[in-house]
Amino acid sequence: YPLCALILIILVCIIFFSKKRINNIETKIYKQMVIYNLLECLFAVCGIILINMIGPTPVANYIVKIDYCLMLLWGATFTKYVISISLKNEIQQKKSLLIIKAYSIISSIIILLLPVELILTNSTIDSKGMSTNAVLISAVLYILIITILTIKIFKDKNFENNKKKLIPLFSLIVLV
């Protein structure tokens, strides 16, 4: 699946970066998400190839940890998008974005420092350990923040103005 995802994200990159874009916050955030997704897919494919060729090694462990960090960055960037469309107060936005940025940096450092164990059985690769748990906890936190902010948007009187911007949000919440 990571190879298919890599091919798809390369196509998305070609289409996105070959066309002229509107210069707004949503486009800038989407650009970051596309780049993080491309890098994450590259690291996932490299990790899978490396593990299948030589088995779990310290190098493979670090590739998986970097892959985890990229997943976290994608989640943080999506949360940044939700903050940008849900919080209209600029001071609240800046504080929230600063907290998300600090949390992402701290989480990434923790993920890189904690151990991960790679398990290869019958050509299936899995991982476990404190680093994996840290990623899962961070992902749950981002999902909670996104859900809370989405509920806030529903309660907002300007809900009709944000309908188009909410489509990716609803998609993520339904998929999770």
Side-chain angles (χ1 to χ4, degrees), residues 8-19 34-35 38:
L8 284 173
I9 194 64
I10 288 171
L11 292 173
V12 168
C13 285
I14 290 168
I15 292 168
F16 181 76
F17 290 110
S18 67
K19 298 188 184 241
V34 166
I35 291 168
L38 175 65

Side-chain angles (χ1 to χ4, degrees), residues 29-43:
I29 291 172
Y30 183 76
K31 179 181 174 183
Q32 289 176 333
M33 291 172 64
V34 166
I35 291 168
Y36 291 145
N37 200 356
L38 175 65
L39 292 172
E40 190 276 325
C41 287
L42 283 170
F43 274 92

Side-chain angles (χ1 to χ4, degrees), residues 22-160:
I22 298 171
N23 190 15
N24 62 18
I25 189 70
E26 287 93 354
T27 307
K28 289 176 184 175
I29 291 172
Y30 183 76
K31 179 181 174 183
Q32 289 176 333
M33 291 172 64
V34 166
I35 291 168
Y36 291 145
N37 200 356
L38 175 65
L39 292 172
E40 190 276 325
C41 287
L42 283 170
F43 274 92
V45 168
C46 289
I48 290 168
I49 291 169
L50 183 67
I51 294 166
N52 280 323
M53 287 177 57
I54 59 175
T57 64
V59 172
N61 284 357
Y62 281 107
I63 289 174
V64 168
K65 288 179 182 185
I66 292 169
D67 187 41
Y68 285 168
C69 291
L70 289 165
M71 287 180 203
L72 249 151
L73 283 173
W74 188 93
T77 307
F78 194 80
T79 305
K80 183 174 152 181
Y81 171 75
V82 176
I83 289 168
S84 75
I85 65 168
S86 64
L87 300 178
K88 297 302 174 197
N89 182 324
E90 196 173 320
I91 295 170
Q92 280 183 325
Q93 269 189 12
K94 286 183 180 181
K95 283 182 181 178
S96 299
L97 293 174
L98 187 63
I99 291 168
I100 294 297
K101 190 175 194 175
Y103 180 74
S104 297
I105 291 168
I106 292 167
S107 295
S108 293
I109 291 169
I110 289 170
I111 288 165
L112 292 171
L113 294 176
L114 290 175
V116 65
E117 181 184 343
L118 300 176
I119 305 158
L120 178 61
T121 52
N122 300 331
S123 72
T124 301
I125 301 169
D126 199 2
S127 63
K128 67 178 185 178
M130 290 191 282
S131 185
T132 305
N133 294 342
V135 172
L136 294 174
I137 291 167
S138 294
V140 167
L141 180 69
Y142 287 135
I143 291 167
L144 285 173
I145 292 168
I146 290 167
T147 304
I148 290 166
L149 290 173
T150 303
I151 291 168
K152 182 185 180 316
I153 293 170
F154 275 121
K155 291 182 178 180
D156 189 8
K157 293 174 186 167
N158 294 324
F159 172 70
E160 291 298 319

Side-chain angles (χ1 to χ4, degrees), residues 151-176:
I151 291 168
K152 182 185 180 316
I153 293 170
F154 275 121
K155 291 182 178 180
D156 189 8
K157 293 174 186 167
N158 294 324
F159 172 70
E160 291 298 319
N161 298 339
N162 286 328
K163 263 187 180 175
K164 285 183 182 177
K165 296 178 181 180
L166 295 174
I167 292 170
L169 224 45
F170 297 136
S171 300
L172 178 70
I173 291 171
V174 168
L175 289 173
V176 172

